């Protein structure tokens, strides 16, 4: 069985947005008991990440690390879309365009400390399209 | 339904090679309407990436970033296969050995600006083996 | 057909642990001839990686690279769990929480030089939970 849904997720600036409850809801809707949930982000300047859901400081440190390793102040050839565009592409390349979580007994098998995030790398507001694909 | 195909893709030096049309053709061949396409590269010195397909400068900036962050001039213990071999392994680790794109109405659900690339990290010519797996 | 198994894997300090034989055994057990094997690690301070299985120096160079690019000596906001905790989260973000290998004729289609690793980023001993999901 293959079940697919498109989500439109508004973002308002560079940040990690926790989408775990949205994905859990779609898994419940699918009625799949054992299977695989694949998330696919239709963009190249925002990415997906599974990371710590407890201490928000972890997300701050992640963002600070990315800001340091892929600086917006560096010189890029592709600079017509603003200083945060090329760094957004690189930060996306270093993280993930898709994430995958098995389903067991109708629930994602996420660990206790794992949350699913969209990592928005652009400063201006966007609507990001996420395809949720469930096979079971 | 599971459909699988092995592609042999020639590369001629460090670069990002757009394989999107090749993958679209295999999806069409599979006749899958709704499903998931998984790409798996059978190598550890080349990788897969979904990235911007419009401005080629984005690919240049990506390559420049990798050259800076994983320099070939650094000292590596594993150096018997040439100065570009160990950096190739690290650049592969920082990107992806597999990529995944859901299929809807018989087509990959790629965003407008997304292309699928093999990122060759070695300078000499290679033939890279890519397994395309479609479930639907 | 969907087949799922939970493995508990002990780790004893920062290192890359080769789990390829364990995964091959589960693929055999599943009797799947053509399909897809997904590995999902239920943690945010250890990760998965497919890398060179021949020269162990490659793994040393990978670890040295990570130690340099994500230093434990840097200042992190999230520092209550020890100097190796926040670097472990970042190193996980830069590598993978899931890996995926197609199955053909009952075997993983890994390349000759590819091994599957759990990359433990914490120094103290842990038991890591890995979900192996096979569809075929």
């Amino acid at each position: 069985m293959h079940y697919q849904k498109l989500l439109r997720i508004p973002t308002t600036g560079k940040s990690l947005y926790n989408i775990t409850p949205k994905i859990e809801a779609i898994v419940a809707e699918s009625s799949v008991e054992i299977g695989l949930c694949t998330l696919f982000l239709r963009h190249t300047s925002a990415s997906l990440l599974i990371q710590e859901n407890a201490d928000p400081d972890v997300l701050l440190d992640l963002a600070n690390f990315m800001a340091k390793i892929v600086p917006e102040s560096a010189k890029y050839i592709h600079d017509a879309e603003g200083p945060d565009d090329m760094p957004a592409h690189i930060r996306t390349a270093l993280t993930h365009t898709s994430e995958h979580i098995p389903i067991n007994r109708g629930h994602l098998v996420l660990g206790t400390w794992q949350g699913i995030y969209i990592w928005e790398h652009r400063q201006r507001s966007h609507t990001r399209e996420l395809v949720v694909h469930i096979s079971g």
Side-chain angles (χ1 to χ4, degrees), chain A residues 20-88:
Chain A
T20 317
K22 282 185 171 52
I23 308 308
E24 283 281 14
I26 297 175
V27 170
E29 200 178 289
S30 76
S31 300
V32 162
E33 284 294 308
I34 181 161
L36 184 64
C37 177
T38 290
L39 310 176
F40 180 81
L41 199 59
R42 303 182 72 225
H43 305 279
T44 62
S45 59
S47 57
L48 294 170
L49 195 67
I50 292 175
Q51 259 296 334
E52 154 114 17
N53 59 12
D55 181 359
D57 285 347
V58 169
L59 306 182
L60 282 178
D61 280 324
L62 273 167
N64 289 341
F65 172 81
M66 273 295 188
K68 193 188 70 182
I69 213 87
V70 191
E72 298 196 356
S73 59
K75 180 90 196 89
Y76 300 101
I77 309 169
H78 174 84
D79 61 3
E81 294 177 59
D84 63 337
D85 189 58
M86 193 55 225

Side-chain angles (χ1 to χ4, degrees), chain A residues 64-115:
Chain A
N64 289 341
F65 172 81
M66 273 295 188
K68 193 188 70 182
I69 213 87
V70 191
E72 298 196 356
S73 59
K75 180 90 196 89
Y76 300 101
I77 309 169
H78 174 84
D79 61 3
E81 294 177 59
D84 63 337
D85 189 58
M86 193 55 225
H89 290 300
I90 298 174
R91 293 168 191 187
T92 296
L94 293 177
T95 49
H96 313 119
T97 296
S98 63
E99 283 287 1
H100 312 261
I101 311 104
I103 296 165
N104 194 286
R105 300 186 190 180
H107 291 282
L108 299 169
V109 301
L110 288 168
T112 312
W113 311 108
Q114 287 182 312

